[in-house]
Amino acid sequence: MSKAEYIYRVEFKEPPLSDDSRTDFFFHSVSAIYEVFTAKQIGCKVTRLWNIGVSHGNPYEGRRCRITKEPILRKRRFKPV
């Protein structure tokens, strides 16, 4: 069985970008979130997310957004015999 993989889902209460109406964004790492958004847009610094340990079942709930860690589900591939 392969190692489980995860994504971070950032759900904003209001669209964070003036030219984009999306409120859900997906990232491969916590630090990747801060490549797109500022700490002011998120509502906390990256060190805070690392310290609280955002994980499945332990989301970050802020005034501006919610950040959760979600498993990626994949179909298992079988090699032909």
Side-chain angles (χ1 to χ4, degrees):
M1 183 164 221
S2 64
K3 181 181 164 191
E5 294 183 40
Y6 296 91
I7 58 167
Y8 292 91
R9 178 181 183 193
V10 181
E11 293 177 77
F12 285 95
K13 295 178 178 155
E14 295 179 11
L17 305 173
S18 60
D19 60 341
D20 193 346
S21 63
R22 293 181 299 162
T23 56
D24 287 346
F25 297 86
F26 301 91
F27 298 92
H28 189 32
S29 67
V30 171
S31 59
I33 296 169
Y34 291 87
E35 291 292 318
V36 177
F37 301 109
T38 64
K40 187 175 180 179
Q41 288 172 309
I42 297 294
C44 69
K45 294 181 180 181
V46 68
T47 53
R48 170 114 169 97
L49 295 181
W50 286 333
N51 288 337
I52 64 171
V54 173
S55 62
H56 190 62
N58 185 31
Y60 164 75
E61 285 280 351
R63 286 183 288 138
R64 300 175 194 266
C65 69
R66 174 187 167 116
I67 300 174
T68 56
K69 186 176 182 180
E70 306 288 337
I72 296 174
L73 304 174
R74 295 181 181 230
K75 181 183 180 301
R76 189 171 171 186
R77 296 190 306 185
F78 294 98
K79 292 182 181 180
V81 178

